[in-house]
Amino acid sequence: MKKQRFKWSNLYLIAVFIILYAPIFYLILYSFNAGGDMTSFSGATWDNYRAVFEDVRLITIVLNTLLIALLSSLIATIIGTFGALAIYYTKKRQARNALLSLNNILMVSPDVIIGASFLILFTFIGFSLGFASVLLSHIAFSIPIVVLMVLPKLKEMNDSMLMAARDLGANNWQVLSKIVLPSITPGILAGFFMAFTYSLDDFAVTFFVTGNGFTTLAVEIYSRARQGVSLEINALSALMFIFALMLVIGYYFVQQHNLSKKQKSKKRYGTEAVNIR
């Protein structure tokens, strides 16, 4: 019986996770601190969480942030899905590579540059800064994320199914709704969740395009942190961390459900093929 050798890669992985998650758990721990600061833990209390739910302005900002993230991710998912389809079915290779390069520019460009560009654009056309400007900006930088999530699923799709559907008389809408969209649904869901989380915690772009009377959670936390450490922000950050964790768990179960459906369909087709023989 062979002994399992110690792998330094596992130690490295553990160290990386400790470095990443230790500050988050430190923040969550002091969200229960009754002392009012982060210098010493003087006892556990729920007062900081109670203060979060009693702060009407902060709750309104959280709802605005969730609304912006939900709307922008939904719209970006629709546009990005059809954008990925357009890139995939572009026949000329040079044109397809050019479209992909244009899509990737927003992914690699610094958020400060994107935010400043949107600010200049909105100022130039006389568009007032507020809810609409933040929503449009979030849609714009979320579309490339969706495109990159959907394209790999399009490449994995079996093109023979499309040819068979057209041979059987299916029109373009039937091919799209019955074959293409079900095949790329995991990529669409991945794009939606990525766009949602990216919009939820965006600061740099939102900081440039937000106006008086409207703000998001990231900008509000930044402005409050400049005034001093508040354990109310710790409590709110802990709640948002739990919310993000629930999203990840939900996405995991969706992926597992899709995987089990694929396995069941493959097993059913295999059984039917054996019966035919």
Side-chain angles (χ1 to χ4, degrees), residues 106-107 114 118 137-145 198-199 202 205:
L106 284 176
M107 294 293 299
I114 297 173
F118 279 121
S137 301
H138 282 223
I139 292 171
F141 67 64
S142 296
I143 290 173
I145 300 172
Y198 196 78
S199 173
D202 178 75
V205 177

Side-chain angles (χ1 to χ4, degrees), residues 17 38 52 87 98 105 107 117 136 159 162 205 212 238-239 244 258:
F17 276 108
M38 295 184 67
V52 171
I87 293 174
I105 285 174
M107 294 293 299
S117 300
L136 291 174
D159 291 334
L162 305 181
V205 177
N212 294 328
L239 293 173
N258 291 331

Side-chain angles (χ1 to χ4, degrees), residues 21-91:
Y21 282 94
I24 297 175
F25 290 123
Y26 179 78
L27 179 146
I28 294 175
L29 174 65
Y30 272 89
S31 68
F32 296 99
N33 187 19
D37 54 36
M38 295 184 67
T39 56
S40 61
F41 194 86
S42 57
T45 181
W46 290 95
D47 290 343
N48 299 317
Y49 289 88
R50 193 178 298 112
V52 171
F53 290 102
E54 291 175 353
D55 193 336
V56 179
R57 183 176 182 275
L58 191 58
I59 295 297
T60 303
I61 292 172
V62 172
L63 293 176
N64 287 338
T65 304
L66 292 174
L67 182 61
I68 286 287
L70 183 61
L71 288 177
S72 63
S73 56
L74 279 174
I75 298 171
T77 300
I78 295 171
I79 299 174
T81 300
F82 285 100
L85 287 169
I87 293 174
Y88 180 75
Y89 286 109
T90 300
K91 294 181 179 179

Side-chain angles (χ1 to χ4, degrees), residues 77-130:
T77 300
I78 295 171
I79 299 174
T81 300
F82 285 100
L85 287 169
I87 293 174
Y88 180 75
Y89 286 109
T90 300
K91 294 181 179 179
K92 293 183 179 180
R93 185 175 180 179
Q94 291 182 346
R96 186 167 62 250
N97 291 336
L99 290 172
L100 274 173
S101 299
L102 289 174
N103 179 79
N104 294 337
I105 285 174
L106 284 176
M107 294 293 299
V108 299
S109 297
D111 288 345
V112 175
I113 302 299
I114 297 173
S117 300
F118 279 121
L119 176 61
I120 294 170
L121 174 64
F122 291 141
T123 304
F124 178 75
I125 64 177
F127 195 83
S128 59
L129 300 181

